[in-house]
Amino acid sequence: MRALLLAVGDDTYAVPIEAAREVLAATSITGLPTAPPAVLGLCNVRGEIIPVFDPGVLLGLGPVPATAAVAIIETVLGPAGLAIGAMGEAVELGELVGHSEGVATRGAFAIETGLAVLIDVEMLLAPARVAS
């Protein structure tokens, strides 16, 4: 399966390549003062306003320490941005090497540099999870 790698803190996660639209470097994020902790704000992508989320908070890892890029992901509710620590890279996931106990994840897969945990995008960005 092809996937886009996402650096979330010191960990490597992945989203199915079909869900990934693009990765933007150094995009400006406008904060929303009363938003839940998982919502970093909004970004303007060629005139389209897209919410940006902190995948570290949504995965229960704590806030992403620094945002180097935003991965734009297509969901059933529309596009969403995930703040990541490094530019994403498209790779072929190897075999499933273990199940993941993490929230909104589908398992750990082998990649050239180690392991990547596959994210269930719809579960990660479900409105009930984002609002808490």
Side-chain angles (χ1 to χ4, degrees):
M1 164 195 301
R2 298 242 347 126
L4 175 67
L5 295 183
L6 308 175
V8 181
D10 293 333
D11 299 319
T12 302
Y13 286 84
V15 295
I17 201 74
E18 304 83 37
R21 184 167 99 182
E22 63 187 300
V23 178
L24 306 171
T27 189
S28 177
I29 300 170
T30 302
L32 299 170
T34 60
V39 180
L40 294 177
L42 303 170
C43 69
N44 184 334
V45 180
R46 294 177 297 284
E48 182 179 23
I49 305 303
I50 297 176
V52 179
F53 301 94
D54 186 327
V57 171
L58 292 170
L59 291 164
L61 306 172
V64 171
T67 301
V70 174
I72 306 299
I73 307 299
E74 292 294 341
T75 75
V76 294
L77 298 175
L82 296 176
I84 53 178
M87 289 297 290
E89 174 186 358
V91 299
E92 189 70 34
L93 293 181
E95 64 184 61
L96 176 66
V97 295
H99 297 287
S100 173
E101 295 179 12
V103 171
T105 60
R106 295 185 186 169
F109 291 81
I111 58 173
E112 276 187 28
T113 57
L115 294 175
V117 177
L118 186 62
I119 293 173
D120 181 325
V121 174
E122 300 305 330
M123 186 180 292
L124 182 74
L125 295 172
R129 288 194 43 71
V130 170
S132 59

